[in-house]
Amino acid sequence: MNYDVIAVGGGPAGIGAAYAAAGCGAKVLLLERSGRLGGTAVQSVVGPLMGGVESRIVTEILARLGGCCVDFRRMDIELFDLLAERGVEILLHAPVSGVRLEGNRVTGVEAECREGRRIFSARCVIDCTGDGDVAFRAGVPFEIGRAGDGLMQPVSIMYLIGGIDPLRRMKCTCEQDARVTMVNGRTWEEIVLEAQSGGRLPDTVSVIRLYHAVREDENIVNATQVNYIDGTSSADLTRAEIEGRRQAFRILDFLRETVPGYENAFISQMPAAIGVRETRRFEGVARLEKGDCIAGRRFADAVVRRACFSIDIHNPAGGGQAAGHEENAVGTAERAQPYDIPYGVLVPRRLDGLLFAGRCVSASHEALASCRVMCIAMALGAGAGAAGAYAARCGCELRNVPVTEIQHVLFD
């Protein structure tokens, strides 16, 4: 079957890509390996949707979802309806297993559907799989992990806890919050670190982040941390799934024993899959660097404007943050200024017919720690979708898309 644009992966990047491409008049197919749209927001209960960004597409999608604090239980249906209204063809339970190549051009993908292997062709394939499964199978060079030792950010089980007293529901979104949030006359940071050193918590858990969920008696918990995991290894992920879920119950017991109003708390939703922050980063025509984020750099060929999120590197070799900044305490995420992301980070250096979007784009380990979050990933997908639709309509190579011609689609 032939399409203008195929987006592979139904997470935020894939949703942004399919929505933008269809809005530009392209015939679009969205392939998703699981049975639900939403990516880690649904499969891994990762929320709220983080990252500030200037993006017409992101604003429209978030308006449909009711904002950044989403209902994980129905988000996939809302996304399905949103895309179906734009004419996007959606195929679930369709993991991509191969790439169709003609010379140095990607012409389509192979998917292992329930009825057998199917081949889908397109003028543009957009890899929104997070791990870069399409780009990897196409042979695009990639980096993995941080410089020096190649370690990647740890993986985490995020989950919902219910049964909280709504009048005493606590909120702690980061290390800085933990230093000023008081529980029984002590800071939350002090309480958690004491429990960690005393063995009441896993030795990698040095901060327990509690975000408000949609229901007033629920929190989203972001605290478990499994280190030394390669998210492209099934064996590593198997170990991480088991260890992360065990950590989740230890943390629940600690909260029930420690925090007023949490005495009757219980796990109300456990994720289907562990959340992975970082794996492959592919070689592109351009590369986003840490300095771009810190300086708030602008680019004439921006497909994302005013992206805003800290350099949030969960420590690959221990608990907490991996590094601090001269203006902050060690172990605090570095601040970034609102920055642009250029089109070239989506474009393979040596291959045609393919774009990547989301956390597999061309970026350094440190820059990815900022641009990997979901609202920015969605904006990256929108840029790729608009570019793919333009190339299909005008018959040009993806690397030659005049970005100024698609910016009116992406920005107000």
Side-chain angles (χ1 to χ4, degrees):
M1 299 183 69
N2 295 304
Y3 298 87
D4 296 321
V5 174
I6 296 176
V8 182
I15 297 298
Y19 183 87
C24 294
K27 181 182 180 183
V28 181
L29 172 67
L30 176 62
L31 296 174
E32 165 56 35
R33 64 181 179 180
S34 75
R36 302 180 72 187
L37 297 178
T40 55
V42 170
Q43 298 294 335
S44 305
V45 195
V46 176
L49 309 186
M50 291 186 175
V53 68
E54 178 186 316
S55 168
R56 174 186 292 171
I57 304 298
V58 173
T59 298
E60 291 177 5
I61 295 173
L62 291 182
R64 184 64 171 265
L65 296 175
C68 293
C69 189
V70 298
D71 184 345
F72 303 114
R73 302 170 182 92
R74 63 180 301 160
M75 180 181 176
D76 57 326
I77 295 298
E78 293 169 334
L79 292 172
F80 186 93
D81 291 343
L82 178 75
L83 295 181
E85 289 167 10
R86 285 211 158 188
V88 175
E89 185 176 333
I90 300 165
L91 192 61
L92 305 178
H93 299 287
V96 166
S97 58
V99 179
R100 309 292 286 187
L101 288 166
E102 293 181 6
N104 70 334
R105 176 182 297 280
V106 173
T107 60
V109 295
E110 300 172 0
E112 294 295 335
C113 300
R114 295 303 178 98
E115 64 273 26
R117 180 171 297 182
R118 294 181 62 185
I119 297 171
F120 303 94
S121 300
R123 181 71 179 78
C124 169
V125 175
I126 306 175
D127 188 337
C128 306
T129 62
D131 297 328
D133 293 335
V134 178
F136 173 71
R137 286 171 171 80
V140 180
F142 63 90
E143 300 176 282
I144 198 162
R146 65 186 179 184
D149 58 16
L151 290 180
M152 287 166 277
Q153 292 198 53
V155 297
S156 294
I157 289 285
M158 290 181 67
Y159 55 101
L160 281 172
I161 54 172
I164 302 166
D165 180 349
L167 298 179
R168 293 186 289 175
R169 182 172 63 162
M170 190 170 79
K171 183 178 182 181
C172 176
T173 64
C174 59
E175 288 82 357
Q176 293 93 321
D177 278 359
R179 293 166 190 154
V180 297
T181 299
M182 304 300 293
V183 178
N184 294 329
R186 303 171 67 198
T187 69
W188 185 231
E189 179 182 62
E190 181 183 3
I191 292 169
V192 171
L193 290 176
E194 182 180 90
Q196 178 197 35
S197 63
R200 292 178 65 199
L201 288 171
D203 58 11
T204 55
V205 176
S206 58
V207 60
I208 297 177
R209 307 167 194 84
L210 300 169
Y211 307 126
H212 282 178
V214 173
R215 290 174 51 106
E216 292 183 354
D217 64 343
E218 287 185 329
N219 273 140
I220 305 164
V221 183
N222 181 5
T224 71
Q225 184 165 307
V226 187
N227 295 79
Y228 305 107
I229 294 296
D230 179 351
T232 65
S233 162
S234 293
D236 276 14
L237 287 174
T238 300
R239 175 169 64 86
E241 294 279 10
I242 301 305
E243 182 179 337
R245 292 169 202 275
R246 286 178 172 151
Q247 288 185 11
F249 283 100
R250 287 183 66 183
I251 292 163
L252 173 67
D253 290 341
F254 171 74
L255 291 171
R256 294 180 63 169
E257 296 164 1
T258 306
V259 184
Y262 286 67
E263 295 85 357
N264 299 313
F266 61 93
I267 294 180
S268 56
Q269 185 173 349
M270 188 69 89
I274 199 162
V276 178
R277 295 182 173 91
E278 173 188 17
T279 54
R280 305 179 186 108
R281 311 185 311 276
F282 287 88
E283 179 187 69
V285 171
R287 186 173 187 258
L288 188 70
E289 303 289 351
K290 175 183 175 180
D292 299 328
C293 306
I294 296 296
R297 191 150 293 135
R298 300 282 180 261
F299 294 95
D301 65 338
V303 289
V304 176
R305 285 181 181 161
R306 301 190 64 78
C308 187
F309 197 72
S310 61
I311 310 294
D312 183 28
I313 306 175
H314 294 240
N315 190 356
Q321 287 285 315
H325 185 271
E326 60 187 4
E327 297 178 356
N328 300 319
V330 172
T332 301
E334 295 185 51
R335 297 184 184 93
Q337 298 299 317
Y339 58 90
D340 291 351
I341 303 179
Y343 177 58
V345 308
L346 313 180
V347 184
R349 183 175 294 276
R350 301 180 180 91
L351 200 64
D352 295 320
L354 177 69
L355 297 173
F356 15 78
R359 63 173 173 82
C360 59
V361 298
S362 179
S364 69
H365 168 78
E366 295 81 7
L368 183 73
S370 175
C371 72
R372 65 183 171 81
V373 291
M374 283 187 276
C375 289
I376 301 176
M378 192 181 294
L380 286 164
Y390 183 95
R393 183 174 68 252
C394 299
C396 69
E397 297 289 356
L398 289 167
R399 65 186 65 254
N400 296 329
V401 169
V403 179
T404 55
E405 293 296 313
I406 64 170
Q407 288 176 335
H408 70 281
V409 175
L410 305 174
F411 312 119
D412 293 326

